[in-house]
Amino acid sequence: MSLTQKYEMVAGVEIHAELRTKTKIFCGCRTDFGAPPNSQCCPVCTGMPGALPVLNAEAVHLAALAGLALHCRIRTCSGFARKHYFYPDLPKAYQITQHEEPLCEGGYLDIETEAGARRVHITRIHMEEDAGKLLHRPDGTLVDCNRCGVPLIEVVTEPCMHTPEEVRAFAEQLRAVLRYAGVSDGKMNEGSLRCDLNLSVRKKGERQLGTRSEIKNLNSFQFIAKAAQYEFERQAAVLEAGGTVQQETRRFDEKTGTTVAMRSKENAGDYRYFPEPDVPPVRISEQQLALWRREIPVLPQERRAQYAGRWGISPYMAQQLTQSRALADYFEQTAQDTKAPKTAAGLLLGEVLRLAPGEDGPFAVPPRQLAALCDMLSDGELSSGAGKAVLQSMWGSGAGPRETAQQLGLLQISDEAELAPLALRVIAQNPGAAEDYRAGKTAALQALLGRCMKETRGRGNPVVLQQILRRELEK
């Protein structure tokens, strides 16, 4: 019996997302990514004696939007606490966070996996400030305090996921929801979204949770899945050998694809939480919550269902199209103006994303022009390859697809009156292939078709040409 047949993974995640505010959570310093080290910090975010924090109201607004988008209960009164730990990138040796009174509680996110739909339950979403960043060099370690005080939310799930695919799907779909709601830009390469994975293993059929490990600071969906798979196999092997899994904090080594022990896992008591005396309680009225609820846009899951029902888009393509709100908006504007929405989806996920600087655009071809190009592809006026060439030429030019195709000489020839004489000439020039086809060697038809396409420099409609060739050969 394999380890996967004998043991079960139980996983939950804690995902930190930077909020899209212009200034930090407790001071007026900027939050721009990539600024020179220690150029965006002040006495408040570096923890100087006598400096007092003042809560950023926009951070509360965005955190509440995250909770509303994820079906959470929003506390009308929540509070902050001090979480103490000593680390070089935390100048004041404590972090201002929410502990006993988080802003958001409960909630869920429905995810799609190859095994079907799953509901992942969310325990809480709380607000906190980020720590700084250590820069390791051969001659020592430097501290950059620019990130100190950047506002975060931490989304904490229940331990209810059982495969690496589920963990990855949750992280991907959570990122999409936060981006749709305008809460976070979700740029994992810039540290705007980071995942801590809590994972334990137990024998199948058991109800008691095993001892968990926490894998810190996973910054890509691929690494999240790989870390989950490796850690499951590591813990299962320990149990299978009669050993005991230790509660500890680990990191994922990207080069080896393994997790490595860092330190024993802290408990809540180790942090010596107590109420933050300098930040008053956060109070939100029901009237304010009602206004914020109206800001929640149509979210990815609802859009995916619309795409399947309205345009027949596959679940996989619908999920890819809805990862970005800008991409989904662009697709919908294109799809409503074309008779070939599936062609639009394929072109968008292929060529458009290759040409665009990112999934948020900008998209340098207006939706109506992209829709017209899709119609031409659907009508057989352009081959697939020609369509890609036309799109590339259209990108940023302002020209329409028909005008561009004519300039490039790529309009497909579908007129039988024009193609029939050419097909007859090719048959006459290749009597051996013609006889092979008549003798039952159907591959010969493709050879003749290839010669026809060469004669038309790729512009002949292959479907029409094939029909003409069959008709003439079978006379």
Side-chain angles (χ1 to χ4, degrees):
M1 183 182 294
S2 68
L3 293 178
T4 53
Q5 292 174 318
K6 188 173 182 180
Y7 294 96
E8 177 184 48
M9 171 195 302
V10 183
V13 294
E14 301 167 4
I15 293 183
H16 294 83
E18 290 184 1
L19 299 175
R20 295 186 68 175
T21 58
K22 293 181 179 179
T23 56
K24 295 185 181 180
I25 188 168
F26 295 119
C27 68
C29 292
R30 300 282 300 182
T31 59
D32 303 325
F33 177 79
N38 297 310
S39 63
Q40 296 183 161
C41 47
C42 71
V44 174
C45 53
T46 54
M48 297 294 105
L52 292 175
V54 177
L55 182 60
N56 184 336
E58 180 61 11
V60 177
H61 170 215
L62 294 178
L65 287 182
L68 293 169
L70 293 165
H71 315 285
C72 294
R73 299 185 303 276
I74 311 299
R75 281 178 176 265
T76 54
C77 182
S78 62
F80 285 87
R82 290 187 181 181
K83 176 183 179 181
H84 293 80
Y85 62 96
F86 297 94
Y87 209 62
D89 63 2
L90 192 68
K92 57 181 179 279
Y94 65 85
Q95 178 189 39
I96 301 179
T97 183
Q98 293 189 310
H99 180 48
E100 294 183 350
E101 299 176 325
L103 181 66
C104 314
E105 293 180 302
Y108 62 87
L109 176 62
D110 291 326
I111 64 173
E112 297 289 337
T113 70
E114 290 184 1
R118 281 287 319 280
R119 175 163 291 183
V120 177
H121 294 279
I122 294 169
T123 307
R124 55 187 277 153
I125 303 174
H126 60 264
M127 304 172 63
E128 61 187 22
E129 61 180 339
D130 208 345
K133 184 178 180 180
L134 296 181
L135 306 174
H136 301 290
R137 307 193 320 185
D139 59 344
T141 297
L142 303 178
V143 181
D144 179 6
C145 291
N146 278 352
R147 208 167 64 185
C148 288
V150 168
L152 300 175
I153 53 170
E154 182 174 347
V155 181
V156 183
T157 75
E158 295 290 321
C160 59
M161 290 173 276
H162 302 287
T163 68
E165 184 197 4
E166 288 180 7
V167 177
R168 176 173 183 160
F170 175 81
E172 287 178 338
Q173 292 178 45
L174 174 69
R175 175 180 180 265
V177 168
L178 295 180
R179 282 160 52 84
Y180 268 68
V183 170
S184 175
D185 63 24
K187 295 179 179 177
M188 300 184 81
N189 61 316
E190 296 181 3
S192 294
L193 195 79
R194 311 189 293 273
C195 176
D196 297 342
L197 171 65
N198 292 290
L199 188 146
S200 65
V201 171
R202 64 188 177 191
K203 285 186 177 180
K204 286 194 173 179
E206 290 184 353
R207 297 183 63 84
Q208 182 73 26
L209 292 175
T211 302
R212 66 187 173 94
S213 293
E214 181 179 24
I215 299 94
K216 299 287 287 186
N217 292 327
L218 297 163
N219 62 358
S220 85
F221 301 127
Q222 182 183 23
F223 294 158
I224 290 169
K226 285 186 174 181
Q229 183 63 42
Y230 176 83
E231 187 61 16
F232 165 72
E233 292 174 357
R234 185 191 73 83
Q235 291 189 26
V238 169
L239 296 175
E240 187 69 4
T244 301
V245 175
Q246 300 299 313
Q247 184 173 348
E248 58 190 359
T249 299
R250 302 176 70 86
R251 66 176 179 85
F252 180 69
D253 188 318
E254 301 167 8
K255 294 180 180 178
T256 63
T258 63
T259 65
V260 181
M262 295 170 61
R263 59 183 181 271
S264 61
K265 174 63 182 166
E266 302 92 341
N267 293 308
D270 297 326
Y271 293 126
R272 305 188 314 283
Y273 286 102
F274 67 77
E276 168 56 65
D278 296 328
V279 181
V282 179
R283 301 184 186 278
I284 305 173
S285 68
E286 290 293 345
Q287 292 81 358
Q288 183 63 72
L289 283 176
L291 291 174
W292 285 348
R293 282 191 181 93
R294 297 177 190 172
E295 296 181 30
I296 303 299
V298 179
L299 294 172
Q301 186 179 23
E302 187 176 345
R303 281 188 158 183
R304 289 195 291 270
Q306 290 175 357
Y307 295 177
R310 183 177 179 184
W311 293 307
I313 304 299
S314 71
Y316 174 78
M317 292 187 81
Q319 183 171 338
Q320 298 303 307
L321 289 166
T322 54
Q323 287 300 307
S324 157
R325 184 175 176 181
L327 182 65
D329 288 344
Y330 185 57
F331 167 70
E332 289 176 17
Q333 291 164 16
T334 303
Q336 66 188 8
D337 286 328
T338 179
K339 57 188 174 185
K342 291 183 181 179
T343 301
L347 204 57
L348 244 170
L349 294 175
E351 288 303 296
V352 170
L353 286 184
R354 184 181 67 81
L355 294 168
E359 59 186 6
D360 290 325
F363 305 113
V365 172
R368 282 186 179 274
Q369 290 189 356
L370 185 64
L373 175 61
C374 293
D375 285 345
M376 291 178 70
L377 286 163
S378 175
D379 291 340
E381 294 184 77
L382 289 171
S383 67
S384 174
K388 293 176 182 179
V390 168
L391 178 61
Q392 185 164 347
S393 183
M394 287 170 60
W395 197 259
S397 72
R402 187 170 299 280
E403 172 191 352
T404 303
Q406 287 171 341
Q407 289 175 350
L408 296 175
L410 292 175
L411 280 176
Q412 200 162 51
I413 304 169
S414 298
D415 185 357
E416 280 205 32
E418 187 175 351
L419 292 176
L422 181 144
L424 286 170
R425 185 168 68 251
V426 167
I427 291 171
Q429 291 171 349
N430 297 273
E435 287 305 315
D436 285 345
Y437 177 79
R438 293 186 181 110
K441 297 179 180 178
T442 55
L445 183 68
Q446 294 304 312
L448 292 169
L449 177 61
R451 292 197 178 267
C452 290
M453 294 300 293
K454 186 176 181 180
E455 289 282 336
T456 61
R457 297 181 181 179
R459 295 173 57 206
N461 187 320
V463 175
V464 176
L465 278 168
Q466 203 168 51
Q467 290 172 349
I468 296 170
L469 287 168
R470 278 204 182 99
R471 185 178 68 225
E472 296 300 328
L473 288 167
E474 292 171 4
K475 278 185 178 178

